[in-house]
Amino acid sequence: MVKTRLPSDRQIQALFPIALVSILILGVARVVVDHLRSHHGSLAKVFFQRRAGPRVFITEGDRIKDGCNVFEGTWVSDNASYPLYREESCPYLVKQVTCLKNGRPDSLYQNWRWQPSGCNLPRFDPLMMLKMLRGKRLMFVGDSIHRAQFDSLVCLLQTSIPRGKKALLRIPPRKIFKIEDYGISIEYYWAPFIVESISDHATNHTVHKRMVRLDSVANHSKYWEGVDVLVFESYVWWMYKPVINASYGTSFNVRVYNVTTAYRLALETWANWLEANINPLTQKVFFMSMSPTHLWSWEWRPGSDENCFNEMHPIQGPYWGTGSNLEIMEILHSVLKGLKINVTLLNITQLSEYRKDAHTSVFTERKGKLLTKEEKADPKRFADCIHWCLPGVPDAWNEILYAYMLKDYQNTP
């Protein structure tokens, strides 16, 4: 891996907060009115009663090879097989990610397939995924970037489910997609820091004011208990400034922490909860590595002074942007290595680093409204180079998640 030149600390401190404030506002959770034909009286139910169904048999040909690193590879143009679904075919997508509908003139970003160097990813099979998840709950826990991965999985699955047998419910801080015939619940839970914070309200929160409780997940974890497949993610909300206000030991003892120190303490609190509550025989836990940003075009095109706006092709060759913090990555590796239970790290950072072309840019919304013509004309200020268009990069993340679930699935006699 070859790293590009890094900016000075002063440059990062000056540019990163400005970019994050203007962009992360786009990630504020909105109140979505879900029109339900049925199930209205059952909103309080979180998951279906488990149901028996036909056995799933996974052949060795369906599984990724042992020893193959699916996170190393290249993006291959494939307009015959991709996208795996169409923007207009998925009624559950929110305006934040529907880039074509919002006026993006090209759709090339949808036609790239991630190709690992040493093996092939199994093609995503919605029916196989539904069979593996029959009677189970799968929950994504994280911020608005992780919410896009939830939206992606819903879109990948929903076309295989008959009308009237599926429903998207909003029970803040959760979004819940229920699949009746399979007894499946696909869920998203808003927790941008994983640990508790003053940003935990599903709709009333801001990146400007950050204060976290580094020693507590209690308010969140009651929703995680008993979930069959947990997929965690937490990164970009930590990176607003190099320091963060936080408490540890008592909520009244608030002081300033270096972000990397606070991140380690938060992950250790999360890890302690896992070890005390997860049954490795019946539950699976994944952690998504950080989703990269493409805020400064000089990193991949030296001499330029732009961002991800108007980018139409992936970066070719080795690349690592300064928006991806290597120290945070090392902390994550260290904490996961010390766990007494297995947590699978889905290291999607490098493969996503190449995709400068796939962000929502100016074809998105801000504070619940699509960007105006004047805002679109000022991409240096208003382009969102953090979130991703759908269909797009988060679909590849779910293809990898699917491949790991296939790999680990135990055939029963």
Side-chain angles (χ1 to χ4, degrees), residues 273-284:
W273 181 87
L274 290 180
E275 292 183 341
N277 292 276
I278 293 296
N279 182 346
L281 298 179
T282 59
Q283 296 171 279
K284 299 191 71 63

Side-chain angles (χ1 to χ4, degrees), residues 2 93 118 131 154 184 189 195 219 231 280 307 311 320 364 368 412:
V2 178
L93 289 177
K131 291 175 182 177
V154 168
I184 295 171
Y189 181 88
V195 292
N219 288 338
V231 188
N307 52 33
E311 295 288 348
W320 188 271
T364 185
T412 56

Side-chain angles (χ1 to χ4, degrees), residues 172-274:
R174 292 166 292 161
K175 291 176 69 175
I176 304 170
F177 185 64
K178 291 187 175 184
I179 306 168
E180 182 178 344
D181 286 346
Y182 288 85
I184 295 171
S185 179
I186 309 291
E187 308 177 28
Y188 164 74
Y189 181 88
W190 170 262
F193 294 100
I194 294 186
V195 292
E196 295 172 20
S197 75
I198 63 172
S199 304
D200 289 340
H201 192 282
T203 56
N204 184 20
H205 53 251
T206 173
V207 72
H208 293 277
K209 298 178 181 180
R210 301 177 308 160
M211 203 287 286
V212 298
R213 291 189 61 188
L214 298 174
D215 61 336
S216 181
V217 295
N219 288 338
H220 299 322
S221 60
K222 59 188 177 184
Y223 295 100
W224 309 342
E225 293 175 359
V227 175
D228 301 279
V229 183
L230 282 162
V231 188
F232 291 92
E233 174 270 345
S234 182
Y235 172 64
V236 74
W237 273 70
W238 292 92
M239 303 310 296
Y240 171 53
K241 288 183 178 179
V243 295
I244 189 170
N245 292 322
S247 65
Y248 192 93
T250 171
S251 58
F252 302 105
N253 184 22
V254 178
R255 65 181 183 88
V256 176
Y257 283 78
N258 181 283
V259 158
T260 52
T261 300
Y263 191 81
R264 179 182 291 276
L265 291 171
L267 282 192
E268 289 174 351
T269 296
W270 166 78
N272 290 336
W273 181 87
L274 290 180

Side-chain angles (χ1 to χ4, degrees), residues 352-372:
S352 305
E353 283 277 11
Y354 302 127
R355 295 304 307 276
K356 61 179 171 58
D357 60 306
H359 292 286
T360 53
S361 183
V362 297
F363 308 104
T364 185
E365 62 180 2
R366 183 183 181 89
K367 296 182 179 179
K369 296 181 180 180
L370 293 176
L371 267 63
T372 65

Side-chain angles (χ1 to χ4, degrees), residues 23 294-298 300-301 304-311 356 361-362 378-385:
I23 294 171
H294 293 91
L295 302 172
W296 305 296
S297 64
W298 56 260
W300 59 84
R301 192 167 58 251
S304 63
D305 185 28
E306 299 170 348
N307 52 33
C308 69
F309 174 70
N310 217 25
E311 295 288 348
K356 61 179 171 58
S361 183
V362 297
D378 188 7
K380 287 189 69 173
R381 182 179 176 188
F382 290 101
D384 180 346
C385 299

